[in-house]
Amino acid sequence: MPYELKKISVVCVIEKDGKFLFLKRAHTGMADGFYMLPGGHVEVGESILHAAARELKEELGITVREEDLEFKLVEPIKTHITFFFRVKKYEGIPQNMEPKKHDEVVFLSTDHPLIHPFSKKELELIEQGIYFLPNDTFDL
């Protein structure tokens, strides 16, 4: 059944010492209590690279240049499409800039039990070098 694309999102992967940076969702009604990778929606007229850099500044207070974002995965799911980028380098110290959406910012290994299953799967696909996700990978 065809569907209309409604949203474009970006997600960023920051790795340090074999662990990944996660935000613990809170107060949003969407995946509250789970750790998820940082990211957000692309605004009208905005490039995906600019959106990724902007979201990192808004959520974590870090500065990332667009050339320091490396494309890793595109994930089309029903009514949205998400582009994943690895952050090669950044300036600043990641901190929770949106306490109304997140409880904490932390580096975790992927075996932590509260990492959202989608985030675990997406990191696995990136590790495997898969760049395009068939739209039936996740059952939403």
Side-chain angles (χ1 to χ4, degrees), residues 13 15 18-20 37 71-73 84 86 110 119-131 133:
V13 177
E15 185 177 3
K19 296 181 178 181
F20 299 93
L37 298 166
F71 170 77
K72 295 311 273 179
L73 177 70
F84 288 75
R86 182 178 72 90
T110 55
S119 293
K120 283 185 182 188
K121 182 66 174 174
E122 291 152 351
L123 287 170
E124 287 173 15
L125 294 166
I126 289 169
E127 179 67 27
Q128 294 170 20
I130 295 172
Y131 292 98
L133 205 64

Side-chain angles (χ1 to χ4, degrees), residues 46-60:
E46 185 177 41
S47 76
I48 57 174
L49 290 173
H50 184 268
R54 175 185 51 76
E55 286 289 346
L56 290 169
K57 186 69 166 177
E58 289 176 4
E59 291 187 350
L60 301 170

Side-chain angles (χ1 to χ4, degrees), residues 43-82:
E43 295 176 358
V44 174
E46 185 177 41
S47 76
I48 57 174
L49 290 173
H50 184 268
R54 175 185 51 76
E55 286 289 346
L56 290 169
K57 186 69 166 177
E58 289 176 4
E59 291 187 350
L60 301 170
I62 61 174
T63 301
V64 177
R65 297 179 318 172
E66 291 181 20
E67 56 265 29
D68 291 325
L69 295 166
E70 177 184 19
F71 170 77
K72 295 311 273 179
L73 177 70
V74 63
E75 176 183 87
I77 300 178
K78 294 189 180 179
T79 61
H80 66 278
I81 186 168
T82 303

Side-chain angles (χ1 to χ4, degrees), residues 25-33 36:
R25 301 281 303 176
H27 324 294
T28 66
M30 186 190 104
D32 290 343
M36 297 187 79

